[in-house]
């Protein structure tokens, strides 16, 4: 949910250009990369309050001080709202969640170095300012009304539109954090298989990474409330995309779907123009009410693709979107899981064999139940824990086959260790937190802010 997309200003007059745009994401295997994104909850160490944008212990100051490490500022309407350096960017979610969008890297070893370098920099500056960051899937303590809105034009538009489409969209915007990975495809057929495996197995990732059991200081009845929030945010642009599993799925089919998702905005001359509920098809025909007579460019299309939020999203790569934010080790485990499953052909085929006969109803039920029951979710003759064990084994095999070794001679399989522990025990991170809440924490969520700080 970052800023305007980077794409050419080529005018678009035909749907075939939109299809070509996503198809051009296809890359030979040697050019495949790993892009990891993770969001963190920022707060003051004094009282755990969410960070305002301004002030001595605010986001603006944090962005300014981080520039000592070589980050370059990005401004909107005269305010710094992002930083960039060497293919990475630091961006802000609506409620000040602090996001690192990583560079496209070749190995999980590099990803983990990138993540740890970023967290070290944020910690250094944060200690000076009385700011800290925590890794979990949802703001555990503060009400939506307590959370300041960041000064980005698109967020104002979305804040006004969200309540028209669902009951929890503002919670999604202001109170949740995720970790996700962006992965490449070689061809249309490769994209389709990866998309299907990613969607079918996304509830397994949701269960393994579940880490959002608290809302406003109390257990909320879910293990991943962040994931549940998406079921009542905006049905036009979220969910499990049943059409991906149908005959005829390909680049054009996804484009047709994206064209049917109502727009949020048009970005022009540094400003976001409200186009909520309007149609990109009308935009193509020069009949968009928000921009009469104007036709879109590929940049407008790239922007529009960023406003779709299914469990797996295609831009010119595939984004795996089902996991809650968490501690440092799980920020490395999430890309390791999906790279292991999707970047080795034998493993990808085996992962598809695992889930290809699941029905639409089964996938939809897992999507609803995994956020509540985690690995205990009933499935066929067992539970999601049984599936998760198989999935982690497959990911290990895929990483082993990739055989990308570190300077110390280790392959990438050890990054899966946190997930192995979770699937063997059957206890999600959220259940571990609930045990602490009901025990040592004495039914207070305040210890989250010290014990889950980066």
């Amino acid at each position: 949910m970052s800023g305007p997309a980077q794409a050419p200003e080529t005018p678009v007059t035909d749907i075939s250009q939109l299809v070509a745009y996503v198809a051009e994401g296809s890359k030979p295997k040697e050019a495949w990369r790993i892009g990891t994104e993770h969001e963190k909850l920022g707060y003051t160490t004094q009282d755990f309050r969410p960070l305002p944008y301004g002030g001595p212990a605010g986001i603006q100051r944090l962005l300014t001080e981080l520039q000592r490490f070589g980050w370059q500022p990005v401004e909107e309407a005269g305010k710094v709202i992002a930083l960039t350096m060497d293919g990475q960017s630091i961006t802000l979610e609506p409620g000040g969640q602090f996001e690192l969008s990583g560079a496209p890297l070749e190995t999980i070893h590099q990803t983990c170095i990138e993540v740890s370098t970023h967290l070290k920099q944020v910690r250094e500056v944060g200690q000076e300012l009385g700011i800290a960051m925590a890794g979990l899937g949802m703001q555990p303590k503060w009400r939506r009304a307590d959370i300041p809105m960041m000064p980005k034009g698109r967020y104002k538009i979305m804040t006004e539109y969200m309540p028209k489409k669902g009951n929890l969209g503002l919670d999604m915007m202001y109170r949740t954090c995720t970790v996700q990975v962006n992965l490449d495809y070689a061809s249309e057929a490769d994209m389709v298989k990866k998309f299907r495996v990613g969607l079918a197995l996304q509830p397994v990732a949701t269960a393994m990474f579940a880490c959002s059991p608290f809302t406003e200081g109390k257990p909320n009845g879910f293990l991943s409330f962040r994931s549940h929030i998406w079921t009542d945010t905006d049905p036009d642009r979220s969910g499990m995309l049943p059409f991906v599993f149908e005959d005829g799925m390909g680049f054009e089919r996804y484009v047709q779907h994206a064209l049917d998702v109502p727009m949020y905005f048009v970005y022009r001359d540094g400003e976001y123009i409200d186009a909520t509920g309007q149609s990109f098809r009308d935009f193509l025909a020069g009949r968009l009410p928000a921009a009469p007579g104007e036709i879109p460019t590929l940049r407008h299309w790239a922007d529009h693709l960023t406003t779709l939020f299914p469990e797996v999203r295609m831009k010119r790569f595939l984004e795996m979107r089902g996991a809650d934010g968490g501690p440092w080790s799980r920020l490395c485990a999430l890309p390791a899981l999906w790279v292991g499953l999707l970047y080795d052909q034998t493993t990808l085929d085996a992962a598809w064999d695992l889930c290809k006969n699941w029905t639409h109803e089964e996938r939809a039920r897992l999507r609803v139940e995994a956020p509540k029951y985690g690995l205990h979710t009933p499935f066929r003759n067992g539970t999601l824990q049984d599936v998760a064990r198989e999935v982690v084994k497959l990911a290990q095999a895929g990483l082993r086959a990739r055989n990308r070794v570190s300077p110390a001679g280790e392959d990438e399989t050890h990054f899966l260790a946190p997930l192995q522990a979770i699937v063997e025990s059957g206890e999600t991170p959220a259940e571990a937190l609930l045990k602490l809440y009901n025990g040592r924490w004495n039914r207070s969520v305040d210890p989250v802010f010290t014990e889950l700080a980066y």
Side-chain angles (χ1 to χ4, degrees), residues 8-280:
E9 297 283 1
T10 312
V12 177
T13 53
D14 190 85
I15 288 174
S16 63
Q17 290 171 268
L18 307 182
V19 176
Y21 176 79
V22 286
E24 283 161 12
S26 303
K27 295 178 179 67
K29 187 168 184 176
E30 59 272 17
W32 292 355
R33 295 293 180 267
I34 305 159
T36 306
E37 304 180 20
H38 69 92
E39 301 160 359
K40 305 167 284 302
L41 289 173
Y43 51 93
T44 62
T45 50
Q46 186 181 0
D47 55 12
F48 309 139
R49 283 193 168 274
L51 302 178
Y53 178 75
I59 294 276
Q60 185 176 30
R61 182 82 191 279
L62 181 58
L63 291 172
T64 300
E65 295 298 333
L66 281 169
Q67 291 171 45
R68 71 178 71 157
F69 299 108
W71 292 93
Q72 298 300 308
V74 177
E75 293 190 359
E76 182 181 308
K79 291 189 163 142
V80 177
I81 47 97
L83 301 172
T84 60
M85 178 171 64
D86 299 336
Q88 307 168 75
S89 58
I90 293 172
T91 54
L92 305 177
E93 293 298 295
Q97 303 98 312
F98 210 69
E99 178 175 6
L100 177 72
S101 295
L105 301 171
E106 291 185 47
T107 70
I108 312 294
H109 308 294
Q110 293 168 339
T111 292
C112 225
I113 290 166
E114 177 186 69
V115 168
S116 59
T117 302
H118 168 73
L119 293 176
K120 185 165 170 265
Q121 291 175 358
V122 170
R123 197 162 55 242
E124 178 182 312
V125 172
Q127 282 169 349
E128 296 167 16
L129 303 180
I131 286 171
M133 303 265 167
L136 68 169
M138 179 164 177
Q139 167 56 253
K141 180 178 173 77
W142 301 101
R143 298 170 308 151
R144 203 192 283 164
D146 298 322
I147 297 171
M149 179 167 76
M150 295 299 109
K152 293 176 72 169
R154 67 188 284 171
Y155 294 161
K156 183 172 185 297
I157 291 168
M158 290 169 67
T159 298
E160 290 166 3
Y161 182 68
M162 281 290 177
K164 299 173 185 173
K165 302 304 294 183
N167 296 308
L168 298 176
L170 295 179
D171 288 310
M172 178 278 289
M173 290 180 66
Y174 287 93
R175 298 206 281 187
T176 63
C177 287
T178 184
V179 52
Q180 59 193 53
V181 64
N182 305 324
L183 298 172
D184 289 313
Y185 41 80
S187 62
E188 186 166 54
D190 186 48
M191 176 277 290
V192 171
K193 186 173 273 193
K194 285 173 174 169
F195 212 144
R196 288 172 175 169
V197 169
L199 273 174
L201 297 183
Q202 214 58 226
V204 182
T206 296
M208 287 193 284
F209 285 81
C211 191
S212 44
F214 306 118
T215 305
E216 293 172 20
K218 294 188 175 61
N220 52 36
F222 288 82
L223 300 177
S224 176
F225 194 64
R226 181 207 64 84
S227 183
H228 170 69
I229 281 169
W230 280 109
T231 66
D232 194 2
T233 288
D234 183 343
D236 294 334
R237 63 189 76 243
S238 56
M240 292 289 277
L241 308 184
F243 71 85
V244 170
F245 298 89
E246 294 169 3
D247 291 346
M249 171 56 188
F251 294 124
E252 179 159 6
R253 182 69 187 82
Y254 189 81
V255 165
Q256 294 291 352
H257 162 71
L259 285 170
D260 289 331
V261 175
M263 294 177 67
Y264 275 157
F265 57 80
V266 174
Y267 184 74
R268 191 205 299 131
D269 301 329
E271 302 235 346
Y272 289 93
I273 296 152
D274 190 335
T276 46
Q278 296 174 29
S279 157
F280 207 97

Side-chain angles (χ1 to χ4, degrees), residues 111 230 332 339 361 428:
T111 292
W230 280 109
C332 305
V339 166
E361 291 71 26
T428 62

